[in-house]
Amino acid sequence: MKRQKGSLDTTIAADVEIKSTVNVTPDRSPIILLAIILACLTGWWVSTVRDAESLSLPYLRVDIAIVCFVCMLPLVMLSSDWLFRVFSHHSPPLFKLVQIIFYTGAAGILIMALTSSHPNGTLSRYDAWESMILRPVLAFWLMMTLCLIEGQISKRGKTSESSSKQGFLIWGLALMTAVLVPAIYIQSRVNEIVTTVEESLGSGRLGDARRLTREVCVLAPWQKIGDLPAGDLARDLDRSCYEIERNIGFMQLEPVGSEEAAYQQARLLTILGKGEAALRLLAPWKDQKTVSPLTCQLLGNIYQQQEQWGESERWYQKSLNAWERLPHSEQQQAGIVSAWKGIAFAERKRGNYEKAESAYLSALSLAPTADQHYLLAQFYEDTQQTSKAREHALQAMALNADRYGKSGQKLITSLQQQHFGCLNVWRGNSL
């Protein structure tokens, strides 16, 4: 009987110990929720700076800020637990000093973020590397401050003594999550930005290319765009855009009295990426029956940049009709080809692939150049017509190997990877 009673007492004591251990385990839900809120607030701040047409250093983009802060959370939680477990019990004065340092630093970071001006010009390589260091440091500092505040409010210092110590594997995984995951994500975003820059340069949108190239300079200072380092291209674009802005300034000294003058000024504004200003300038001539094909074409380009595909197609169609009424000339043929390309791109974005293919083929029949063949190759790649994509890519490479040699081979390689079982993609690839 005594043995059974002793066994029962031991079981009850074990249950009490388990319950006490469970009770002292800190609830992670509040700090995770607060961390997500802090990440979203940082992303919102980045978006407000971007709306002001400035560089929101060091994160630049909303998604990058959120990824950096959320990925830093596991390391910060481990570090704050270690501080509470070691310093708050064994050295309270030192723990208070650490808290004061973090609180003061976080207050300084917030004050500088909300009051300091942000650069608009091209950044140096030193600024870019500094920004790379600041991204994890700022995320760690602000998240740690948040954890320290939450720990004080929830009295985590009284319950952390019995919490388990984490091994090197957990710390290593947390460190990799904090550093490597954002780095991989940022590089993927840089690759997307580089592709957009090349497209902007190809379509003459220097203002958009300049803005995106400046972002590449901050996110990946070693990156090349085409054959140029991102910093060199950014400085070249700055000089080109400065010349355009100066020309616009001279034009604005005189009132716009003709459609030709409005078109020239609106064209320069479009190159700088100021589509709304260009639309306001062309508004008096949009509804006239005698509007020129160049104005219609420019309006189609502006709406294309704004991703208003219906309006873009409508104005390119008006441009095509206007060009076809003019006498035959080199300018007229070039205008018709450009109108067909604009129509094709708009129809492609709207999902009207048959109309888009017909428009691309119409442009190719008038101008069988390497550019037209490569546009068709890209279209057929998007629409999963692999044999036609490969055929036009090879023709573009044959007509202009200097320009389309690498990009054409890259497109064919992409087709081979996406359609491994399609023999037509692999056949004759050595040509």
PDB file of all heavy atoms in Angstrom, residues 256-272:
ATOM      1  N   VAL A 256       3.002  75.989 -76.548  1.00  0.00           N
ATOM      2  CA  VAL A 256       2.773  74.963 -77.566  1.00  0.00           C
ATOM      3  C   VAL A 256       1.658  75.427 -78.489  1.00  0.00           C
ATOM      4  O   VAL A 256       0.501  75.516 -78.087  1.00  0.00           O
ATOM      5  CB  VAL A 256       2.405  73.626 -76.902  1.00  0.00           C
ATOM      6  CG1 VAL A 256       2.128  72.572 -77.972  1.00  0.00           C
ATOM      7  CG2 VAL A 256       3.522  73.167 -75.974  1.00  0.00           C
ATOM      8  N   GLY A 257       2.003  75.729 -79.750  1.00  0.00           N
ATOM      9  CA  GLY A 257       1.009  76.265 -80.665  1.00  0.00           C
ATOM     10  C   GLY A 257       0.624  75.356 -81.798  1.00  0.00           C
ATOM     11  O   GLY A 257      -0.254  75.687 -82.590  1.00  0.00           O
ATOM     12  N   SER A 258       1.255  74.194 -81.920  1.00  0.00           N
ATOM     13  CA  SER A 258       0.951  73.289 -83.020  1.00  0.00           C
ATOM     14  C   SER A 258       1.052  71.850 -82.539  1.00  0.00           C
ATOM     15  O   SER A 258       1.674  71.550 -81.512  1.00  0.00           O
ATOM     16  CB  SER A 258       1.917  73.513 -84.185  1.00  0.00           C
ATOM     17  OG  SER A 258       3.247  73.170 -83.809  1.00  0.00           O
ATOM     18  N   GLU A 259       0.447  70.955 -83.324  1.00  0.00           N
ATOM     19  CA  GLU A 259       0.515  69.535 -82.972  1.00  0.00           C
ATOM     20  C   GLU A 259       1.946  69.024 -83.076  1.00  0.00           C
ATOM     21  O   GLU A 259       2.377  68.186 -82.274  1.00  0.00           O
ATOM     22  CB  GLU A 259      -0.400  68.726 -83.891  1.00  0.00           C
ATOM     23  CG  GLU A 259      -0.416  67.238 -83.562  1.00  0.00           C
ATOM     24  CD  GLU A 259      -1.268  66.444 -84.531  1.00  0.00           C
ATOM     25  OE1 GLU A 259      -1.977  67.053 -85.353  1.00  0.00           O
ATOM     26  OE2 GLU A 259      -1.219  65.197 -84.470  1.00  0.00           O
ATOM     27  N   GLU A 260       2.694  69.517 -84.043  1.00  0.00           N
ATOM     28  CA  GLU A 260       4.084  69.088 -84.208  1.00  0.00           C
ATOM     29  C   GLU A 260       4.913  69.424 -82.973  1.00  0.00           C
ATOM     30  O   GLU A 260       5.686  68.591 -82.476  1.00  0.00           O
ATOM     31  CB  GLU A 260       4.679  69.748 -85.447  1.00  0.00           C
ATOM     32  CG  GLU A 260       6.170  69.519 -85.655  1.00  0.00           C
ATOM     33  CD  GLU A 260       6.513  68.060 -85.906  1.00  0.00           C
ATOM     34  OE1 GLU A 260       5.620  67.301 -86.319  1.00  0.00           O
ATOM     35  OE2 GLU A 260       7.684  67.696 -85.678  1.00  0.00           O
ATOM     36  N   ALA A 261       4.748  70.655 -82.449  1.00  0.00           N
ATOM     37  CA  ALA A 261       5.497  71.057 -81.254  1.00  0.00           C
ATOM     38  C   ALA A 261       5.071  70.231 -80.047  1.00  0.00           C
ATOM     39  O   ALA A 261       5.917  69.805 -79.233  1.00  0.00           O
ATOM     40  CB  ALA A 261       5.279  72.545 -80.984  1.00  0.00           C
ATOM     41  N   ALA A 262       3.761  69.975 -79.924  1.00  0.00           N
ATOM     42  CA  ALA A 262       3.267  69.161 -78.813  1.00  0.00           C
ATOM     43  C   ALA A 262       3.804  67.743 -78.916  1.00  0.00           C
ATOM     44  O   ALA A 262       4.186  67.125 -77.901  1.00  0.00           O
ATOM     45  CB  ALA A 262       1.744  69.160 -78.801  1.00  0.00           C
ATOM     46  N   TYR A 263       3.844  67.220 -80.149  1.00  0.00           N
ATOM     47  CA  TYR A 263       4.339  65.860 -80.338  1.00  0.00           C
ATOM     48  C   TYR A 263       5.811  65.747 -79.942  1.00  0.00           C
ATOM     49  O   TYR A 263       6.202  64.782 -79.258  1.00  0.00           O
ATOM     50  CB  TYR A 263       4.155  65.440 -81.802  1.00  0.00           C
ATOM     51  CG  TYR A 263       4.940  64.212 -82.166  1.00  0.00           C
ATOM     52  CD1 TYR A 263       4.474  62.956 -81.820  1.00  0.00           C
ATOM     53  CD2 TYR A 263       6.155  64.310 -82.855  1.00  0.00           C
ATOM     54  CE1 TYR A 263       5.198  61.816 -82.138  1.00  0.00           C
ATOM     55  CE2 TYR A 263       6.882  63.180 -83.177  1.00  0.00           C
ATOM     56  CZ  TYR A 263       6.401  61.929 -82.818  1.00  0.00           C
ATOM     57  OH  TYR A 263       7.133  60.816 -83.130  1.00  0.00           O
ATOM     58  N   GLN A 264       6.629  66.693 -80.354  1.00  0.00           N
ATOM     59  CA  GLN A 264       8.058  66.624 -80.050  1.00  0.00           C
ATOM     60  C   GLN A 264       8.301  66.679 -78.542  1.00  0.00           C
ATOM     61  O   GLN A 264       9.113  65.914 -78.005  1.00  0.00           O
ATOM     62  CB  GLN A 264       8.794  67.776 -80.748  1.00  0.00           C
ATOM     63  CG  GLN A 264       8.815  67.691 -82.261  1.00  0.00           C
ATOM     64  CD  GLN A 264       9.557  66.473 -82.777  1.00  0.00           C
ATOM     65  OE1 GLN A 264      10.390  65.883 -82.077  1.00  0.00           O
ATOM     66  NE2 GLN A 264       9.270  66.073 -84.014  1.00  0.00           N
ATOM     67  N   GLN A 265       7.585  67.571 -77.869  1.00  0.00           N
ATOM     68  CA  GLN A 265       7.758  67.676 -76.420  1.00  0.00           C
ATOM     69  C   GLN A 265       7.211  66.437 -75.710  1.00  0.00           C
ATOM     70  O   GLN A 265       7.830  65.919 -74.772  1.00  0.00           O
ATOM     71  CB  GLN A 265       7.053  68.933 -75.908  1.00  0.00           C
ATOM     72  CG  GLN A 265       7.369  69.251 -74.440  1.00  0.00           C
ATOM     73  CD  GLN A 265       6.827  70.614 -74.050  1.00  0.00           C
ATOM     74  OE1 GLN A 265       6.676  71.497 -74.874  1.00  0.00           O
ATOM     75  NE2 GLN A 265       6.531  70.788 -72.767  1.00  0.00           N
ATOM     76  N   ALA A 266       6.047  65.939 -76.159  1.00  0.00           N
ATOM     77  CA  ALA A 266       5.462  64.745 -75.547  1.00  0.00           C
ATOM     78  C   ALA A 266       6.346  63.516 -75.782  1.00  0.00           C
ATOM     79  O   ALA A 266       6.438  62.630 -74.919  1.00  0.00           O
ATOM     80  CB  ALA A 266       4.063  64.510 -76.108  1.00  0.00           C
ATOM     81  N   ARG A 267       6.996  63.453 -76.922  1.00  0.00           N
ATOM     82  CA  ARG A 267       7.890  62.326 -77.212  1.00  0.00           C
ATOM     83  C   ARG A 267       9.050  62.284 -76.225  1.00  0.00           C
ATOM     84  O   ARG A 267       9.423  61.215 -75.712  1.00  0.00           O
ATOM     85  CB  ARG A 267       8.412  62.430 -78.644  1.00  0.00           C
ATOM     86  CG  ARG A 267       9.283  61.268 -79.086  1.00  0.00           C
ATOM     87  CD  ARG A 267       9.724  61.455 -80.531  1.00  0.00           C
ATOM     88  NE  ARG A 267      10.570  62.637 -80.669  1.00  0.00           N
ATOM     89  CZ  ARG A 267      11.892  62.647 -80.432  1.00  0.00           C
ATOM     90  NH1 ARG A 267      12.503  61.529 -80.048  1.00  0.00           N
ATOM     91  NH2 ARG A 267      12.591  63.742 -80.596  1.00  0.00           N
ATOM     92  N   LEU A 268       9.622  63.448 -75.930  1.00  0.00           N
ATOM     93  CA  LEU A 268      10.721  63.497 -74.966  1.00  0.00           C
ATOM     94  C   LEU A 268      10.241  63.149 -73.568  1.00  0.00           C
ATOM     95  O   LEU A 268      10.943  62.463 -72.810  1.00  0.00           O
ATOM     96  CB  LEU A 268      11.360  64.890 -74.986  1.00  0.00           C
ATOM     97  CG  LEU A 268      12.048  65.300 -76.294  1.00  0.00           C
ATOM     98  CD1 LEU A 268      12.632  66.700 -76.177  1.00  0.00           C
ATOM     99  CD2 LEU A 268      13.131  64.299 -76.680  1.00  0.00           C
ATOM    100  N   LEU A 269       9.035  63.607 -73.217  1.00  0.00           N
ATOM    101  CA  LEU A 269       8.484  63.254 -71.908  1.00  0.00           C
ATOM    102  C   LEU A 269       8.253  61.752 -71.797  1.00  0.00           C
ATOM    103  O   LEU A 269       8.481  61.151 -70.744  1.00  0.00           O
ATOM    104  CB  LEU A 269       7.173  64.008 -71.669  1.00  0.00           C
ATOM    105  CG  LEU A 269       7.293  65.517 -71.418  1.00  0.00           C
ATOM    106  CD1 LEU A 269       5.913  66.169 -71.443  1.00  0.00           C
ATOM    107  CD2 LEU A 269       7.969  65.784 -70.076  1.00  0.00           C
ATOM    108  N   THR A 270       7.817  61.140 -72.889  1.00  0.00           N
ATOM    109  CA  THR A 270       7.601  59.696 -72.886  1.00  0.00           C
ATOM    110  C   THR A 270       8.905  58.941 -72.709  1.00  0.00           C
ATOM    111  O   THR A 270       8.962  57.932 -72.008  1.00  0.00           O
ATOM    112  CB  THR A 270       6.916  59.264 -74.199  1.00  0.00           C
ATOM    113  OG1 THR A 270       5.701  60.001 -74.366  1.00  0.00           O
ATOM    114  CG2 THR A 270       6.592  57.782 -74.171  1.00  0.00           C
ATOM    115  N   ILE A 271       9.960  59.433 -73.338  1.00  0.00           N
ATOM    116  CA  ILE A 271      11.275  58.807 -73.184  1.00  0.00           C
ATOM    117  C   ILE A 271      11.709  58.837 -71.721  1.00  0.00           C
ATOM    118  O   ILE A 271      12.306  57.883 -71.209  1.00  0.00           O
ATOM    119  CB  ILE A 271      12.317  59.508 -74.077  1.00  0.00           C
ATOM    120  CG1 ILE A 271      11.995  59.231 -75.553  1.00  0.00           C
ATOM    121  CG2 ILE A 271      13.728  59.044 -73.750  1.00  0.00           C
ATOM    122  CD1 ILE A 271      12.880  60.004 -76.509  1.00  0.00           C
ATOM    123  N   LEU A 272      11.366  59.909 -71.025  1.00  0.00           N
ATOM    124  CA  LEU A 272      11.716  60.032 -69.607  1.00  0.00           C
ATOM    125  C   LEU A 272      10.764  59.260 -68.700  1.00  0.00           C
ATOM    126  O   LEU A 272      10.945  59.245 -67.483  1.00  0.00           O
ATOM    127  CB  LEU A 272      11.717  61.509 -69.193  1.00  0.00           C
ATOM    128  CG  LEU A 272      12.812  62.387 -69.790  1.00  0.00           C
ATOM    129  CD1 LEU A 272      12.642  63.831 -69.339  1.00  0.00           C
ATOM    130  CD2 LEU A 272      14.200  61.873 -69.423  1.00  0.00           C
TER     131      LEU A 272
END
